[in-house]
Amino acid sequence: MSLSPQVLFILLVTLMIIAVTWLHHARVLSGKLPTRRPLPALDVLRNALRRGAETGRVLHISPGAGQIGSGNGTRGSSAETLAGLMVATRISEEAALNGAPILVSSGDAVTHLALRGIVRQAYQQAGQTQDYDPARVQLLAHQDEFAYATGVKTLYGRQPIEASTLVGSFGQEYLLIGEEGAQRDIPQVVGTTNSTALPMMMLTTPATLIGEEIFASEAYLSSDPTAQARLLTQDTLRTVVILLIIGAFVYGLLQPAFGLPVLTGS
């Protein structure tokens, strides 16, 4: 049985990604980590975790109202939501270890179930199973961004909040949340790749993660080798894609002059 060129290409890319990830994982285990640029927004989050353990005020965490996978969700919103879930994982682990109370919310039923598992596992791994409270993981709406935003506003007014982390899939509904948080002087750490939400985020809080920074946040919040390897693999793949784009552009400029064959997709 022969494989089509498309299938062979996909297999080759998959094997390359696995190999690069394995190499970076080995590199991290050997202690060879590159110097990373700082993300000041995450310093606000770390300080809030420390204060929350002392004051007893909750740290709010939410990946937004985006969907995962099929349905009305897009690839972009799924990727953002997954990035938000990874951030929620690392925050939950740290909160379970230092005793900082957390309040987790979402606007999608599937994401809600994932968050419940994430938070429960974080407390189990920390040996603090008795501190896990399912009521602290709340589903505010389902596939309705503005209903979700209204729910977050209600949470802001219901109890004192040390800080709010809103990293994931957000759109125009963020303005309702961000403005409410700014009026209540709640430190907000926010981030998305959505070009509609980013200007509003930057207007309401200086602690904003822009674009690809939300995908790197997990590695900044944890020293776990797997998280570090993922970040290094993302950087490697990004570099490869950039080089391919530049190469294709240069080839397109040289092709007419030197009579090179035209590259066409099948």
Side-chain angles (χ1 to χ4, degrees):
M1 182 180 65
S2 60
L3 298 176
S4 65
Q6 292 86 349
V7 174
L8 288 174
F9 176 76
I10 293 173
L11 288 175
L12 180 62
V13 171
T14 302
L15 290 174
M16 183 189 72
I17 293 174
I18 293 173
V20 170
T21 304
W22 181 83
L23 289 172
H24 283 313
H25 192 271
R27 179 184 177 189
V28 172
L29 291 177
S30 66
K32 298 178 181 178
L33 284 174
T35 302
R36 299 179 302 197
R37 65 183 178 89
L39 292 180
L42 297 182
D43 293 334
V44 176
L45 175 56
R46 295 187 187 96
N47 292 333
L49 277 167
R50 287 192 288 267
R51 291 195 309 269
E54 298 172 357
T55 64
R57 293 187 295 187
V58 299
L59 176 66
H60 174 247
I61 311 166
S62 180
Q67 294 178 265
I68 299 176
S70 59
N72 295 326
T74 63
R75 289 184 179 180
S77 67
S78 293
E80 289 177 322
T81 303
L82 290 173
L85 289 175
M86 299 307 295
V87 170
T89 299
R90 302 307 176 184
I91 297 175
S92 300
E93 291 172 349
E94 183 64 26
L97 288 172
N98 67 15
I102 59 175
L103 175 62
V104 186
S105 68
S106 64
D108 176 70
V110 177
T111 305
H112 170 71
L113 293 176
L115 286 168
R116 291 191 65 172
I118 285 170
V119 176
R120 181 173 60 250
Q121 185 177 14
Y123 279 91
Q124 288 175 346
Q125 291 178 344
Q128 304 293 333
T129 308
Q130 71 281 357
D131 292 336
Y132 169 66
D133 182 3
R136 291 286 186 177
V137 185
Q138 300 184 10
L139 176 64
L140 303 180
H142 180 57
Q143 299 182 12
D144 189 329
E145 293 85 356
F146 289 97
Y148 156 76
T150 303
V152 176
K153 286 182 60 178
T154 302
L155 291 180
Y156 279 5
R158 186 178 296 168
Q159 59 185 306
I161 293 180
E162 186 62 49
S164 181
T165 303
L166 305 166
V167 177
S169 178
F170 292 90
Q172 295 178 348
E173 77 280 359
Y174 169 79
L175 185 59
L176 296 175
I177 305 171
E179 182 63 21
E180 183 72 14
Q183 290 181 359
R184 294 182 179 275
D185 292 325
I186 298 174
Q188 298 180 106
V189 180
V190 301
T192 188
T193 63
N194 189 308
S195 59
T196 301
L198 277 172
M200 295 182 284
M201 288 181 169
M202 299 181 73
L203 285 173
T204 55
T205 174
T208 301
L209 298 168
I210 301 174
E212 64 184 17
E213 292 177 351
I214 70 172
F215 302 106
S217 297
E218 178 207 5
Y220 279 75
L221 294 171
S222 172
S223 58
D224 179 42
T226 303
Q228 305 301 321
R230 272 197 291 263
L231 176 60
L232 293 173
T233 301
Q234 291 172 17
D235 289 341
T236 300
L237 295 177
R238 186 182 302 110
T239 302
V240 170
V241 170
I242 291 173
L243 291 176
L244 288 175
I245 292 173
I246 294 175
F249 177 74
V250 173
Y251 188 90
L253 293 177
L254 298 178
Q255 185 270 330
F258 294 93
L260 300 174
V262 178
L263 298 179
T264 58
S266 57

